[in-house]
Amino acid sequence: MSDTAQNGKGSKRRPTNADKYNENYDRIFCQKGNQPTIEEREEMSHLDYSSDVAWRPACGGTERPFEWGGKEYLYMYNHETGEHSYYNATDDVFEPNVEFN
């Protein structure tokens, strides 16, 4: 039998040129000026509101956002008019006649 069959085929590392590998790696993957910029998203809280805004989260401010159909909604109450509506936070619109089935 062959000596390589007993010791595991392919277990020995191939001879490589480490300097050439590192140079090509930097050339391919570390091009200056092409680094992607990572923007941090500002975390929004739909429960923060100022005193001049009539719409507030319903149930005395305890209503929490929920997702439906890939969009985020919040059940809101207008303390000036007494009406309720769903706020679509994804599209930034109020949807008074939406049904969630």
Side-chain angles (χ1 to χ4, degrees), residues 44-47 57 61-68 71-76 87 89:
M44 290 180 57
S45 173
H46 302 299
L47 303 178
T62 60
E63 192 71 32
R64 297 285 182 232
F66 64 94
E67 284 194 27
W68 181 264
K71 296 184 179 187
E72 187 175 15
Y73 291 91
L74 179 62
Y75 191 55
M76 303 286 283
Y87 173 65

Side-chain angles (χ1 to χ4, degrees), residues 6-99:
Q6 297 292 327
N7 297 329
K9 189 172 184 178
S11 63
K12 185 177 178 185
R13 186 176 173 138
R14 292 181 179 185
T16 59
N17 183 343
D19 293 332
K20 187 172 183 177
Y21 175 85
N22 291 336
E23 179 184 315
N24 287 334
Y25 184 89
D26 290 341
R27 181 180 58 85
I28 295 169
F29 297 109
C30 300
Q31 296 176 354
K32 293 183 180 180
N34 292 338
Q35 299 294 332
T37 57
I38 299 173
E39 296 180 15
E40 292 185 23
R41 290 184 61 180
E42 182 179 329
E43 199 63 38
M44 290 180 57
S45 173
H46 302 299
L47 303 178
D48 293 338
Y49 52 87
S50 61
S51 61
D52 61 335
V53 176
W55 285 99
R56 309 266 170 93
C59 299
T62 60
E63 192 71 32
R64 297 285 182 232
F66 64 94
E67 284 194 27
W68 181 264
K71 296 184 179 187
E72 187 175 15
Y73 291 91
L74 179 62
Y75 191 55
M76 303 286 283
Y77 173 71
N78 188 324
H79 67 89
E80 290 180 357
T81 64
E83 62 183 321
H84 289 84
S85 183
Y86 285 97
Y87 173 65
N88 180 340
T90 306
D91 298 333
D92 194 27
V93 295
F94 281 93
E95 297 181 2
N97 299 323
V98 67
E99 290 185 22

